[in-house]
Amino acid sequence: MPRVTDDHLAARRRQILDGARRCFAEYGYDKATVRRLEQTIGLSRGAIFHHFKDKDTLFFELAHEDAERMADVASREGLVQVMRDMLAAPEQFDWLATRLEIARKLRNDPVFNRGWADRSAELATATAERLRQQEQAGRLRSDVPSAVLQMYLDLVLDGLVARLASGDDPEKLSAVLDLVEASVRQS
């Protein structure tokens, strides 16, 4: 039997992740069944779960990829820029609408909660560091603790995801982000 190359394995893994992203975006977390994952990805469950232990692992890998990408932007340009990127290319983030659906799972499933927290810590860390830098540079308002500002920005991010998922006008959402950005700046 011929040996499978690392490039082939990486391409197969990418195929699975891209298909899973589409499936989660279309059906949500709970309704993205193994059968639907197979159909959307175009591979058997054996091929999918050869690369990923289970559906949660697959979902968490997507969360980790996005968290890394968003953390990179947040560390350089701030969390508001991450949200602006979402408005500019919503198709890259449409699967995040599952955040609303998984809120229940985060409350009721401690194992899932730990897995999600582990994969989303990078964005929180990058945001906290960016806020610290902005505070030191005198660009951040000083009458509100940075931990509160970070929670505020996290809430705005969740709201933005919900609004994008429900089809709100990106131009209006962009104006809201202008307001959010002004509200955290030193006046």
Side-chain angles (χ1 to χ4, degrees):
M1 184 161 161
R3 186 179 181 294
V4 178
T5 67
D6 288 342
D7 287 345
H8 176 78
L9 290 173
R12 177 59 49 102
R13 186 175 167 81
R14 183 79 262 148
Q15 175 187 358
I16 293 167
L17 288 167
D18 290 346
R21 184 180 300 276
R22 287 190 313 274
C23 190
F24 287 127
E26 183 172 350
Y27 297 106
Y29 180 83
D30 287 335
K31 292 183 181 172
T33 61
V34 172
R35 181 173 304 269
R36 284 185 169 147
L37 284 164
E38 287 176 308
Q39 291 169 343
T40 305
I41 295 168
L43 297 172
S44 70
R45 71 186 61 211
I48 295 167
F49 297 119
H50 170 76
H51 293 271
F52 298 93
K53 179 181 160 198
D54 53 25
K55 180 177 147 180
D56 283 357
T57 306
L58 182 54
F59 184 81
F60 289 148
E61 181 62 24
L62 290 172
H64 179 68
E65 277 188 357
D66 283 1
E68 277 186 331
R69 185 174 68 238
M70 293 187 314
D72 182 52
V73 173
S75 68
R76 287 182 285 108
E77 303 173 59
L79 191 57
V80 172
Q81 185 58 48
V82 170
M83 292 183 255
R84 290 188 190 287
D85 290 351
M86 288 178 166
L87 290 178
E91 70 284 352
Q92 292 179 17
F93 297 94
D94 56 358
W95 82 278
L96 285 175
T98 60
R99 283 176 72 131
L100 304 173
E101 179 185 354
I102 65 167
R104 172 193 52 79
K105 197 165 176 65
L106 290 172
R107 279 191 313 275
N108 299 321
D109 184 338
V111 173
F112 188 89
N113 190 312
R114 278 191 302 277
W116 179 261
D118 290 347
R119 271 103 182 152
S120 56
E122 287 177 79
L123 181 57
T125 301
T127 301
E129 178 58 22
R130 175 69 178 183
L131 288 171
R132 188 188 64 71
Q133 291 169 356
Q134 294 297 311
E135 184 176 38
Q136 287 179 341
R139 294 186 198 109
L140 199 63
R141 62 186 297 167
S142 58
D143 62 329
V144 178
S146 60
V148 173
L149 290 176
Q150 182 167 355
M151 184 174 282
Y152 167 62
L153 292 172
D154 287 343
L155 289 169
V156 172
L157 174 61
D158 287 342
L160 178 74
V161 168
R163 293 301 187 132
L164 280 172
S166 44
D168 278 13
D169 179 10
E171 200 169 300
K172 287 181 184 173
L173 293 172
S174 182
V176 169
L177 291 181
D178 292 342
L179 181 62
V180 168
E181 197 163 34
S183 72
V184 299
R185 298 243 182 249
Q186 183 73 335
S187 38

